[in-house]
Amino acid sequence: EFRRVLFRSGSFTLGAAVMFFAAPALAQIVFGANGDHVLTLRLSGFALGVEGLIAVPIAYLRVGNRSVMFVTVQAVKLLLQVVLNIVFIIPLGMGVNGVLLSLLISTAVIGSWLTASLVRRNGITFSSSTARDLLRFGFPLFGVQIASFLLTFADGYFLRSEEHTSELQS
């Protein structure tokens, strides 16, 4: 099981690294010339990167019919995220970046704890054939993630383009 966590975390980390370096260009394309949203995009990428820590252990809880533990973990993560949202948004005034930072922290904390628990329970092994199978299965999902990202942020590009067109017509 740890090999799945490791492989999935690695692929999510790769996505986060791409997002980190592509954020300035993406911010320019999607949000316009000011580039104010680079940090927002980078936080989104980091949140994606730590998502790999939690996805496999959560699936492991589901498959193992450990519903009480599953609900407890989700409730603790939600509570932590809500508390961090309140702190980051109200007193610190971080807005969207505060929401993303709270998601990143809560996922990293709970995901690290769940991953450590999974490793303690199952140990660490690696299988190149399993890694190949996982890569073959997961490769199409990279396209889905990219398409999802584009659908999420593409409206900013089109809205900005519409504003520019309206200004030219005036």
Side-chain angles (χ1 to χ4, degrees), residues 108-139:
V109 167
I110 300 300
S112 297
W113 173 68
L114 283 174
T115 298
S117 175
L118 186 65
V119 168
R120 258 192 321 275
R121 178 177 279 223
N122 297 309
I124 297 175
T125 60
F126 182 77
S127 165
S128 59
S129 64
T130 301
R132 229 181 357 267
D133 290 344
L134 286 170
L135 185 59
R136 190 176 20 247
F137 175 79
F139 188 73

Side-chain angles (χ1 to χ4, degrees), residues 99-116:
V99 173
L100 290 170
L101 189 57
S102 69
L103 172 65
L104 182 124
I105 292 170
S106 62
T107 303
V109 167
I110 300 300
S112 297
W113 173 68
L114 283 174
T115 298

Side-chain angles (χ1 to χ4, degrees), residues 44-77:
S44 298
F46 287 140
L48 170 71
V50 298
E51 187 68 31
L53 287 174
I54 203 167
V56 173
I58 287 290
Y60 189 75
L61 292 175
R62 285 180 171 169
V63 169
N65 289 323
R66 299 184 62 201
S67 58
V68 173
M69 182 63 159
F70 174 82
V71 170
T72 302
V73 165
Q74 295 289 52
V76 169
K77 182 180 179 288

